[in-house]
Amino acid sequence: ELAKSTLNGYRKILEGHLYPEIDDKPMPSLNYLRLSGLLSGEWSKKTRNNILICIRKPFDIAHIDGLIEINPAARLRYMRVQVPPPDPFEPHEVEAIISELETRYGPQPANYAGVGFFVGARPSEQIAFRWDDIAWKVKMLRIERAKVLQEEKGTKTSQARDHELTGSALLDLERNLVHGADGETRRREEPSRR
């Protein structure tokens, strides 16, 4: 099953690019040349590959079901996408960012960003953190869910993982303990599931 954010991306491709170009043309009238033309444009490789997914899938299904004899999309190729290596902030840059956040928006956003920097969670994972995910006595944070477009789901890697809470991350979490929705402290010495 595809994630809500993935489906949303495909919908935007279909409605914004493919439907206006293809309109209601019958499949047999859409040849390889016409379909490859839909991939031309100033797209990143990843976006081009997502467009190709939206082009290929209906033709693959129609071919398997015997609705078309030849699949003109079968020879359209995906582009290799090389992901650049991480380029983390230097410690002095992290401190400058957190300091500026605190100056502009107050301590709570600065603490939140500090946890993100020092734990190394993806933004979607950090959004889904719960106080019960913290084992305070052993100073560990379990990451086992993410939240994207208001939908909670598993992590990108489908693996739960534990992160040791360093001094800075631990301090930022402790500073935010009093900022629960009802103003009550959320700290639990013995999280129920750990």
Side-chain angles (χ1 to χ4, degrees):
E1 186 177 319
L2 295 175
K4 183 179 177 181
S5 57
T6 303
L7 290 172
N8 192 38
Y10 290 156
R11 182 187 52 76
K12 288 178 182 179
I13 289 168
L14 290 168
E15 293 174 357
H17 179 60
L18 296 180
Y19 290 163
E21 292 291 326
I22 294 174
D23 197 29
D24 60 356
K25 294 176 182 69
M27 274 188 162
S29 72
L30 299 170
N31 59 23
Y32 173 84
L33 189 59
R34 177 80 174 115
L35 294 177
S36 64
L38 295 172
L39 294 171
S40 64
E42 297 296 319
W43 315 108
S44 70
K45 290 178 181 179
K46 185 175 184 331
T47 299
R48 183 194 176 278
N49 287 346
N50 286 343
I51 293 169
L52 182 51
I53 289 169
C54 294
I55 292 171
R56 285 184 73 159
K57 196 65 174 174
F59 283 92
D60 290 345
I61 293 168
H63 186 254
I64 290 168
D65 284 349
L67 300 174
I68 55 175
E69 196 171 310
I70 297 170
N71 181 352
R75 292 191 176 195
L76 296 172
R77 298 289 173 233
Y78 294 99
M79 298 185 84
R80 290 180 182 246
V81 178
Q82 184 164 342
V83 179
D87 183 19
F89 290 105
E90 297 291 330
H92 71 277
E93 294 173 314
V94 170
E95 291 305 322
I97 291 167
I98 292 172
S99 177
E100 185 64 23
L101 278 171
E102 186 161 11
T103 299
R104 287 187 186 198
Y105 306 106
Q108 203 171 350
N111 295 338
Y112 181 83
V115 171
F117 278 121
F118 297 114
V119 169
R122 293 175 177 88
S124 60
E125 295 168 341
Q126 188 174 354
I127 290 167
F129 284 173
R130 296 181 185 157
W131 291 110
D132 284 348
D133 295 334
I134 302 167
W136 292 98
K137 284 186 178 179
V138 293
K139 299 176 182 164
M140 297 291 284
L141 171 67
R142 169 147 302 158
I143 298 174
E144 59 187 355
R145 73 188 73 75
K147 192 170 190 177
V148 179
L149 297 177
Q150 310 299 315
E151 182 180 282
E152 198 167 278
K153 59 183 191 170
T155 64
K156 188 172 185 173
T157 60
S158 300
Q159 299 277 328
R161 60 191 191 281
D162 291 326
H163 283 270
E164 184 178 354
L165 294 171
T166 63
S168 296
L170 194 59
L171 185 59
D172 288 329
L173 282 168
E174 288 174 342
R175 285 183 191 139
N176 265 1
L177 279 172
V178 295
H179 296 292
D182 57 6
E184 293 296 315
T185 298
R186 296 283 188 245
R187 183 173 185 157
R188 293 177 58 173
E189 289 300 326
E190 298 288 343
S192 58
R193 58 177 197 74
R194 308 254 334 249

